[in-house]
Amino acid sequence: MRTALITGGSSGIGYAMSRRFARGGYKLLWVALDQNELIKAKAALQTEFNQAQVEILAIDLSKAESAQAVYDWVTSNGWSVDTLVNNAGFGTYGYVSDIPVEREVAMIRTNVEATYRLTRLFLDDMLKRDAGTIIQIASNSAFQPVARMNTYAATKAFVYQFSRALQEELRLRKSKVRCLTVCPSAISDTAFKSANGLDGVRTFKGLATTTAEEVADDVWNAYTSGRDFIVTGARMRFLFGMRRLIPYGLQQWLVRRETATT
Ligand SMILES: NC(=O)c1ccc[n+]([C@@H]2O[C@H](COP(=O)([O-])OP(=O)(O)OC[C@H]3O[C@@H](n4cnc5c(N)ncnc54)[C@H](OP(=O)(O)O)[C@@H]3O)[C@@H](O)[C@H]2O)c1
């Protein structure tokens, strides 16, 4: 049975993507912070897909040792990961000097370090088998500086650059392993916005707002058709296509407008 390890699989787009993988007959390995949420989400998924196999691990990915602990959990159970989805992450909002340093460091560790470490750990096994896919959840905030979501956007710029270059390296070494980079725009219906103090920020009812279902459909279609990069949501894809025509000043005006509170 094919197996997908999805970090943050019990919530938001992680859960929406899990529904596609469950429908596709995959066994799911979920890693997230909150044990109760993991148990509840597992029950909900198995109510919808009664054959779904779901294994759960509650762990804080902002801790440096957690990625290795996830890898050890997988290998000590004899599982092999066909598809790794690095999805767990969170954001901060406000002027950088107003945000507690430790909160941003925890975000950098979760969004960047855990993504990097998990990629390295599972990539080695995939390269040995010459098979597997890594799906990296970046963001449209990776494409330009984002005042008031400064450090968050920088973490996603890392994920974007690292993952797209990894795909180029895989191509260069003629590997069958694939890396799919995903850049969603603001998602209106996940916990992300409330959990990160973003309620009332215009982008969640903005130019290119999307939903968890739309993101999951776009990711699944990109994954099953062998693509290596996807901007999710038709309106965001249009804006992304236009971005080279938009001067920096106008781009930043749009970003300021989108990240303002209403
Ligand atoms: N929402 C948006 O507008 C948006 C736009 C672009 C990209 N993204 C990206 O999409 C991904 C998923 O976000 P979402 O919108 O689906 O939000 P979400 O519903 O809040 O999901 C985030 C998931 O990450 C897990 N997580 C967060 N911090 C963690 C930690 N320290 N250790 C382990 N797990 C942790 C959460 O676990 P618990 O539930 O157990 O806390 C949750 O399962 C994130 O990487 C986010 O940056 C979101």
Side-chain angles (χ1 to χ4, degrees), residues 57-246:
L57 176 69
I59 196 162
D60 184 353
L61 289 172
S62 73
K63 307 278 184 246
E65 62 280 10
S66 293
Q68 184 66 49
V70 171
Y71 182 77
D72 293 346
W73 172 65
V74 169
T75 50
S76 65
N77 279 292
W79 303 319
S80 171
V81 170
D82 298 288
T83 308
L84 165 66
V85 187
N86 275 311
N87 164 70
F90 65 94
T92 53
Y93 179 71
Y95 295 122
V96 70
S97 54
D98 293 342
I99 302 170
V101 169
E102 291 314 318
R103 180 75 181 151
E104 293 227 300
V105 169
M107 176 179 66
I108 294 166
R109 291 198 169 133
T110 306
N111 298 7
V112 175
E113 184 177 359
T115 296
Y116 174 81
R117 285 185 184 278
L118 287 169
T119 300
R120 289 297 308 269
L121 287 162
F122 288 98
L123 176 64
D124 283 352
D125 290 344
M126 289 180 184
L127 288 172
K128 280 182 204 133
R129 297 196 309 266
D130 199 21
T133 303
I134 301 173
I135 302 179
Q136 309 279 44
I137 305 299
S139 163
N140 69 342
S141 61
F143 303 141
Q144 67 290 300
V146 182
R148 289 181 292 216
M149 294 187 76
N150 182 345
T151 313
Y152 172 74
T155 67
K156 293 300 182 175
F158 174 90
V159 175
Y160 174 77
Q161 295 290 350
F162 172 71
S163 307
R164 296 212 69 186
L166 174 60
Q167 172 56 29
E168 289 305 317
E169 291 179 0
L170 292 167
R171 217 190 310 271
L172 281 174
R173 64 196 297 174
K174 299 190 184 353
S175 171
K176 293 198 179 80
V177 178
R178 193 159 53 91
C179 180
L180 165 60
T181 304
V182 178
C183 291
S185 56
I187 305 162
S188 58
D189 57 352
T190 65
F192 184 89
K193 123 180 113 151
S194 302
N196 299 301
L198 291 155
D199 282 319
V201 173
R202 191 182 305 208
T203 193
F204 292 95
K205 286 185 185 163
L207 283 175
T209 311
T210 184
T211 62
E213 287 299 300
E214 186 175 33
V215 173
D217 278 338
D218 283 351
V219 172
W220 184 253
N221 291 337
Y223 172 67
T224 52
S225 62
R227 294 191 58 184
D228 58 39
F229 173 59
I230 175 86
V231 174
T232 67
R235 283 182 294 168
M236 189 61 220
R237 273 196 290 281
F238 173 75
L239 286 173
F240 181 74
M242 301 282 288
R243 79 195 187 290
R244 293 195 198 288
L245 304 174
I246 306 177

Side-chain angles (χ1 to χ4, degrees), residues 244-260:
R244 293 195 198 288
L245 304 174
I246 306 177
Y248 183 77
L250 177 56
Q251 211 184 76
Q252 286 299 305
W253 179 85
L254 282 167
V255 169
R256 278 199 300 280
R257 187 183 173 281
E258 286 286 300
T259 57

